[in-house]
Amino acid sequence: MTSHSDRQVRFRWSRLHRASFLAVSGATAAALIAPPIGAVPAFATDHRGRWAVQDHDGTAGHRAPWRGDLVSSTPLTTLADRADVEAFLRAQSFDAGTVRYGVSTFRLVYRTVDAHGAPTTASGLLAIPENDNGRLRPVLFAHGTQIFKGDAPSTSSDGFLTGPPITFAAAGFAAVAPDYLGLGEGPGPHPWMDVPSETTASLDLLRAARSFLAGRGTQLGRDVLATGFSQGASAALGLGRALHDGADPWFRLGALAPISGGYDFQNAQIPAMLDGELHPKFSVAYTAYLLVAYNRLHHIYDTPAAMFQPPYVDVAELFDGTHQGLEVLNGLPDTLADLLTPQGFALLAHPTGAFAQALTVLDSVCSGWAPAAPFRLYYSPGDEQAANLNSIHCQERFAAGGRRVRLVDLGVNRDYSGFVHEGSELLGTAAIVRWFLTL
């Protein structure tokens, strides 16, 4: 017999992912992960301990001239007037109180670098207001975790993905939402939780959007208002850090507003998953994706059998971008005890070697820099996927570095999926667009 909890999980997967993507939270996405030894990193630490953007040839402070070049643009959807936008947002459970304009969306494909710094392409969504403004302020919204390639802002009609950028565009901003590498129309597997590549993909999308809008006679402003949910919370911080450190001669950091991120894996997120404080099924999904993605980037184990129990030794195949959400969910066990070997548990509980090194970099997203731009951290109490302690530790780390950050309690909204985590995107988007309008 199916329990209420089981029905709720399945409801969440089927409703949240009409295109069947796994929105396993970016709780596990707070990653500033370095490429494998021998690869050229997208980021490196300079002599002052700051993070410097590098291009594919490893030259700090200089980007390859082709990065951000627009490959193609495709018109997607036009919500012609305020009434159309309001109806769309309300149907997706988003707040429509800041709608001022109709909205048009486009898919942009552009040139960027992959997780190892080599040339590649990526795609992303651009949403702009239907008005006559000749200059638009940019908002970047970084989305939460997905595993199916087609479930990305520019290739999916799922309102949970497109609702935030459409909200910002309808309020008068130019909103960009990167698909990240390997999702949407980007080639290869998605390097999950790799904040450096999320950052380069985001920055290069901003460059492509600026070029696209210039061709339409519209200037994209300099000050980027960066926000993101779950996985995208850390991606937004990564972009903010790059802009803060002068990664682009045009764009600057205007404000930061991440929602429900996983900013401290070693001391908050992993312990909460191992101790059963978070939802067990999502903890299984996050843990499997974490180990698979880290092994691709860092080679943290020699054989899957060292980490995963039979019959889950082939679990990496579920995370190749071709499997939709329900298929992945059904292919995973219900508990970590059924997924992991003793060695797998030991590695998570007491990271060593390349895994420990990667997690240390992962957990540095809130330390080592002190943005001067307006900055707020958003969370919902009782989040069952991203432990609230992540946000508390992030606030504390910025404070230790001299930057006091306001931690905003959004309250709880379960209207979309029945889960607090997804509800925080709805609440956070509504709160953040209002805040951005005051800046």
Side-chain angles (χ1 to χ4, degrees):
M1 183 174 180
T2 303
S3 69
H4 171 73
S5 177
D6 291 337
R7 289 196 301 271
Q8 192 179 38
V9 172
R10 292 184 180 277
F11 169 76
R12 186 257 189 184
W13 279 63
S14 61
R15 183 184 175 197
L16 249 186
H17 315 295
R18 280 183 280 276
S20 297
F21 75 88
L22 172 63
V24 287
S25 78
T28 43
L32 281 170
I33 303 172
I37 295 173
V40 177
F43 281 73
T45 306
D46 67 13
H47 67 282
R48 292 163 295 179
R50 298 169 65 196
W51 289 83
V53 175
Q54 296 189 333
D55 69 12
H56 71 289
D57 66 4
T59 306
H62 301 278
R63 73 176 175 95
W66 43 262
R67 280 189 46 196
D69 282 357
L70 187 63
V71 175
S72 66
S73 62
T74 304
L76 296 176
T77 302
T78 296
L79 300 169
D81 54 31
R82 291 177 60 175
D84 289 341
V85 178
E86 289 170 352
F88 169 82
L89 291 176
R90 287 172 179 152
Q92 312 302 320
S93 299
F94 282 90
D95 186 293
T98 56
V99 174
R100 299 178 181 176
Y101 309 102
V103 173
S104 292
T105 64
F106 304 84
R107 180 189 306 119
L108 304 184
V109 177
Y110 57 98
R111 302 182 70 189
T112 187
V113 290
D114 67 14
H116 306 303
T120 189
T121 59
S123 56
L125 184 75
L126 169 66
I128 57 175
E130 287 288 300
N131 61 26
D132 297 326
N133 291 353
R135 181 183 175 92
L136 296 174
R137 301 170 68 196
V139 170
L140 181 128
F141 178 83
H143 65 77
T145 299
Q146 301 148 23
I147 58 170
F148 179 59
K149 189 177 183 66
D151 291 323
S154 80
T155 54
S156 174
S157 60
D158 194 303
F160 195 73
L161 288 164
T162 60
I166 287 175
T167 296
F168 291 113
F173 300 98
V176 296
D179 294 339
Y180 307 141
L181 297 181
L183 297 174
E185 295 198 350
H190 172 49
W192 193 53
M193 299 182 305
D194 184 49
V195 171
S197 68
E198 292 166 358
T199 299
T200 52
S202 298
L203 182 54
D204 289 341
L205 176 58
L206 282 165
R207 291 163 173 159
R210 183 186 179 206
S211 175
F212 173 80
L213 289 172
R216 295 166 57 94
T218 302
Q219 185 182 54
L220 190 59
R222 301 189 69 181
D223 295 326
V224 179
L225 310 175
T227 180
F229 163 70
S230 201
Q231 174 181 357
S234 293
L237 287 175
L239 176 67
R241 189 174 201 163
L243 295 174
H244 170 81
D245 286 349
D248 188 85
W250 175 257
F251 292 112
R252 304 175 301 202
L253 179 59
L256 275 170
I259 310 165
S260 302
Y263 313 111
D264 186 0
F265 256 65
Q266 294 183 86
N267 302 296
Q269 186 63 23
I270 289 177
M273 292 193 296
L274 291 178
D275 293 345
E277 296 175 21
L278 303 179
H279 194 286
K281 189 71 172 186
F282 297 126
S283 292
V284 168
Y286 300 151
T287 298
Y289 207 0
L290 174 70
L291 293 173
V292 168
Y294 269 49
N295 198 53
R296 287 172 180 161
L297 287 175
H298 307 290
H299 188 69
I300 61 174
Y301 51 85
D302 290 330
T303 65
M307 297 289 108
F308 304 111
Q309 294 195 52
Y312 305 109
V313 291
D314 296 326
V315 70
E317 296 177 3
L318 292 175
F319 297 97
D320 64 1
T322 68
H323 299 272
Q324 296 190 0
L326 285 174
E327 184 180 359
V328 175
L329 181 69
N330 291 332
L332 293 171
D334 291 334
T335 68
L336 288 173
D338 292 327
L339 175 72
L340 297 175
T341 64
Q343 184 176 342
F345 271 112
L347 184 65
L348 285 173
H350 305 287
T352 59
F355 188 53
Q357 183 180 7
L359 287 177
T360 297
V361 179
L362 161 72
D363 291 340
S364 71
V365 69
C366 297
S367 58
W369 67 299
F375 186 5
R376 293 178 178 179
L377 286 165
Y378 293 81
Y379 78 103
S380 281
D383 192 320
E384 66 286 291
Q385 298 171 51
N388 291 154
L389 194 58
N390 283 291
S391 296
I392 295 170
H393 284 184
C394 185
Q395 182 191 43
E396 292 173 347
R397 288 176 178 178
F398 274 112
R403 179 61 164 96
R404 301 181 72 175
V405 180
R406 179 182 172 188
L407 188 59
V408 180
D409 180 341
L410 292 166
V412 172
N413 182 333
R414 298 177 183 270
D415 289 348
Y416 190 81
S417 65
F419 285 91
V420 173
H421 188 64
E422 279 69 36
S424 70
E425 176 178 293
L426 307 180
L427 294 169
T429 299
I432 291 164
V433 67
R434 286 175 170 83
W435 182 47
F436 283 175
L437 285 168
T438 70
L439 300 177

